[in-house]
Amino acid sequence: GRGAGLAGPASGSIPRAAVLEGWEFDRAGFGIAERTFLAADPAHWLALETAGRALADAGFPGGQGLARDRAGVIIGNTLTGEVSRAAALRTRWPFVRGVLTTALAAGDVPPAERALALAQATAAFAGVPEVSGESLAGSQSGAIADRICRHFGFRGGGQAVDTAHSSSLLAVASAAALLSAGELDFVLAGGVDISLDPFELGALAQAGVLASGAMRIYDASPTGFLPGEGCGMLALMRSADARTADMPVYAEIVGWGVSSTGQLNVVSADPDSQLLALQRAYHRAGVDPADIELIEGDGRGTADGDLAELTALTAIRAGATSAAVLGSVKANIGHTKAAAGAAGLIKAALAVNAGVLP
């Protein structure tokens, strides 16, 4: 991604972002009607394209070769994308116009100037999208997974997961659970996030978590993170099935763990809840944490987040006799939020497959 200057509306700073550049969806190649394409948020098309690439890489181009009744999709996403949010604001114009009309009438504004102000405001809200079933579905997170299922003929179920920045990893964990239970035989799991809108950036700037320069993760002087855009998908099968079918296997997921803070007054990052998730994952995997050589961390670059994570990792690796390599892909591509976990997992899988400690 390239660094993009973005005005910090609250802090006056100029944070940077890691954005996709030059991407264009191949609408004709996917057979998507122009009306449908224009009605849906670009997050839908980025996810659909990435799903197609994941299927091809796994040896199932277009879904061919899969038992489609036993194939599903789980996508991590929050609030679709900024295009849907902007469109939602524009559809509120009648309410905004009423507020402006009342305010202008209550003030000492001549009628001619009132009309001019309303005309200028109307022009600013121009381009209100036609409200239809397509525009409604195109602005919903859950419809992203459903769209992928429909396109590739998967009948095993499609769903969205929204747990903020952990969304895509929870999608993977949910997929792993379904596969382990025998509910499905194949799952596309991951996340998509291209929601760099002014409201979100303003809130992040207010919270003081945006980096103005380079990210420095696990640093004594944390800089914050660079918000990013992206999409990551993983094609998942039970290990035995994948090897029997001679599928290309990058890595095997042997354990996963989920937790939440569960404490009323804890609002910052909580090392105890992170430790619980780690303990559950290693217990399920039957792996000694001291034997791990590579840890792909969260690494959000904030003081409380990094400290909580390092505290949990130190606790679970107590007694380890050798060091482990620790890093986070966020320092390379920015924090892609709902897609961040998928990016980290893909990096770790490629590292394991190549036998390289990055």
Side-chain angles (χ1 to χ4, degrees):
R2 59 179 170 81
L6 297 164
S11 64
S13 62
I14 306 179
R16 296 161 65 233
V19 300
L20 297 173
E21 187 174 35
W23 171 70
E24 291 185 14
F25 177 65
D26 183 8
R27 180 176 68 80
F30 280 85
I32 305 299
E34 183 177 17
R35 173 189 173 92
T36 302
F37 172 71
L38 294 175
D41 192 278
H44 282 242
W45 311 125
L46 180 60
L48 179 60
E49 178 186 279
T50 308
R53 292 169 63 185
L55 286 169
D57 185 67
F60 303 110
Q64 298 174 23
L66 287 170
R68 301 188 194 227
D69 286 1
R70 304 274 300 166
V73 179
I74 307 178
I75 300 297
N77 178 256
T78 58
L79 297 173
T80 317
E82 72 268 20
V83 172
S84 291
R85 300 184 211 181
L89 282 175
R90 289 196 294 270
T91 59
R92 269 59 173 182
W93 167 240
F95 170 76
V96 176
R97 181 180 57 202
V99 172
L100 287 174
T101 300
T102 301
L104 290 169
D108 188 18
V109 181
E113 293 186 15
R114 292 184 211 168
L116 179 60
L118 284 172
Q120 291 174 335
T122 300
F125 272 84
V128 177
E130 179 184 352
V131 177
S132 66
E134 287 183 341
S135 60
L136 177 62
S139 64
Q140 294 179 340
S141 296
I144 299 175
D146 181 66
R147 190 182 300 279
I148 295 171
C149 286
R150 288 173 181 270
H151 186 85
F152 295 109
F154 296 164
R155 290 159 52 92
Q159 58 183 287
V161 173
D162 183 359
T163 54
H165 299 167
S166 64
S167 296
S168 57
L169 279 186
L170 190 60
V172 170
S174 300
L178 288 170
L179 291 168
S180 296
E183 296 288 334
L184 295 175
D185 296 334
F186 178 88
V187 183
L188 276 179
V192 60
D193 201 317
I194 49 175
S195 56
L196 296 177
D197 69 51
F199 293 97
E200 187 169 10
L201 292 172
L204 292 172
Q206 282 268 19
V209 299
L210 295 184
S212 58
M215 280 185 65
R216 294 200 303 269
I217 59 173
Y218 307 122
D219 196 273
S221 301
T223 57
F225 63 79
L226 299 177
E229 300 177 316
C231 180
M233 298 277 190
L234 296 101
L236 303 175
M237 300 173 67
R238 284 181 293 276
S239 177
D241 293 348
R243 297 186 191 282
T244 298
D246 198 26
M247 292 291 101
V249 177
Y250 292 101
E252 182 178 352
I253 297 173
V254 294
W256 58 92
V258 179
S259 69
S260 53
T261 300
Q263 298 182 51
L264 182 62
N265 297 319
V266 175
V267 293
S268 59
D270 176 25
D272 291 336
S273 62
Q274 294 193 29
L275 178 60
L276 179 58
L278 289 169
Q279 290 169 334
R280 288 173 171 167
Y282 283 112
H283 176 74
R284 183 187 295 272
V287 172
D288 185 347
D291 294 336
I292 297 298
E293 296 181 60
L294 169 64
I295 298 171
E296 172 64 17
D298 183 10
R300 72 186 71 176
T302 61
D304 68 324
D306 284 0
L307 178 60
E309 187 180 3
L310 291 173
T311 301
L313 288 172
T314 300
I316 199 147
R317 287 180 54 79
T321 57
S322 60
V325 172
L326 172 64
S328 172
V329 74
K330 288 184 180 67
N332 301 98
I333 66 170
H335 192 330
T336 53
K337 298 172 292 181
L345 180 52
I346 290 170
K347 173 194 165 185
L350 292 175
V352 169
N353 183 255
V356 172
L357 293 174

